[in-house]
Amino acid sequence: MSKIYIDGKWPDKDQAKISVFDHGLLYGDGIFEGIRAYNGRIFRLHEHAERLYESARGILLEMPMAIEQMEKLIVQSVRVNNLRDAYVRVVVTRGFGDLGLDMRKCKKSTVIIIADRIELYPDFVYEQGMRLVTSALRRTPNQTLPPAIKSLNYLNNILARAEAARAGAEEAILLNSEGYVAECSGDNIFYLKKGIAVTPPLYAGILPGITRAAAIEILQRQLRVPVKEELFGVVDLYQADEVWITGTGAEIIGIKEIDGRKIKDGRVGRLTKNLVKLYRGMTTSTGTPVYEADAVAH
Ligand code: PXG
């Protein structure tokens, strides 16, 4: 039975419970991270921890431990469950309070760390590409709760994803309130046109994806492809040479169709295929070791 970290304890999965008065449940008042471990190493652990702590600062949430301690617990969550490939979900909520909105009633935040096996997308998705549709919902604007904060309020994204599924697509594109492409419901987005890779800038109102940052590094350093962060519309995607999405769960997936329009010949592009391969090389050869044997092996 897998063990879950909750506030200093490691109960079994079926005993891992929180209060119905937790403001994470009552109001979605909290933050989270989704992190992966590959072959006994946690990919970009420090970047994920930093984003978690930035999210906490953004919502006035006091973290009950130092970031170094959090990183140790994340490593431990993979180790106590004997996993080598894992998906780690860190959730920090405002904690137990009363039924009002007042966060001062919540005396201590709740920290939950779940390390589990990961559900991968099937191989054919990487080989044949994914379908996207543009959602009628807009990405929550920077003027409200900024998308850079990975908060527990994912309902907008969940509804966009459901809309995509009902239209026969796997992911939804969300435009920002000005109508520029922001990102997908749980992934960032890129396109390639005439040898230049383009992705929305952070000010478009997006989550600063850790996979996005890794993809930019690979494009610039290994593939020598220039990357521009600029605003664009959905038509730029329709007319692109290649489109791909990036995310911890998805890694890098090529897009074959958007809103019923084929991207080029409707097949995953050559650059996207190279990116997928190089990203896999990066995830399996770098990262924080979970077990001592992996620490000395490299
Ligand atoms: N945009 C949004 C809105 C996200 O939630 C990403 C981009 C990609 O970021 P990273 O750092 O992962 O490259 C995310 C991350 C899942 C899952 O189980 C993934 C996310 C959120 C919730 C669940 O795959 N996304």
Side-chain angles (χ1 to χ4, degrees), residues 32-36 48 51 87 89 118-119 121 139 147 149-150 154 157 161 171 174 183-189 206-214 246-251 279:
F32 76 104
E33 273 299 318
I35 308 169
R36 274 176 80 165
H48 281 284
R51 189 170 67 186
Y87 183 80
R89 171 65 54 93
I118 129 140
E119 286 244 346
Y121 283 99
R139 188 71 174 96
I149 293 173
K150 207 162 162 53
Y154 254 61
N157 305 49
R161 177 76 67 98
E171 244 296 23
L174 288 149
E183 60 180 336
C184 295
S185 69
D187 299 285
N188 293 110
I189 190 162
I206 63 171
L207 184 79
I210 284 156
T211 320
R212 173 185 181 274
T246 66
T248 296
E251 303 184 317
Y279 181 75

Side-chain angles (χ1 to χ4, degrees), residues 32-36 42-54 67 71 74 150 210-211 248:
F32 76 104
E33 273 299 318
I35 308 169
R36 274 176 80 165
I42 301 181
F43 186 64
R44 305 230 157 170
L45 171 60
H46 188 60
E47 285 86 340
H48 281 284
E50 279 194 322
R51 189 170 67 186
L52 181 73
Y53 278 65
E54 283 297 305
I67 189 166
E71 289 180 26
I74 293 168
K150 207 162 162 53
I210 284 156
T211 320
T248 296

Side-chain angles (χ1 to χ4, degrees), residues 207-279:
L207 184 79
I210 284 156
T211 320
R212 173 185 181 274
I216 292 173
E217 273 177 44
I218 295 169
L219 285 161
Q220 293 177 327
R221 295 189 197 155
Q222 292 179 264
L223 295 167
R224 306 272 168 204
V225 172
V227 181
K228 286 205 288 195
E229 294 180 56
E230 64 179 28
L231 297 172
F232 57 85
V234 77
V235 176
D236 295 298
L237 294 175
Y238 301 157
Q239 298 171 334
D241 296 330
E242 300 186 23
V243 178
W244 64 89
I245 60 171
T246 66
T248 296
E251 303 184 317
I252 295 172
I253 298 183
I255 302 305
K256 62 174 175 188
E257 194 182 297
I258 303 176
D259 298 336
R261 294 146 162 101
K262 275 198 172 66
I263 303 305
K264 273 278 151 125
D265 59 0
R267 286 203 274 222
V268 177
R270 200 166 53 91
L271 180 80
T272 306
K273 283 187 177 156
N274 279 333
L275 255 178
V276 171
K277 215 179 294 164
L278 290 169
Y279 181 75

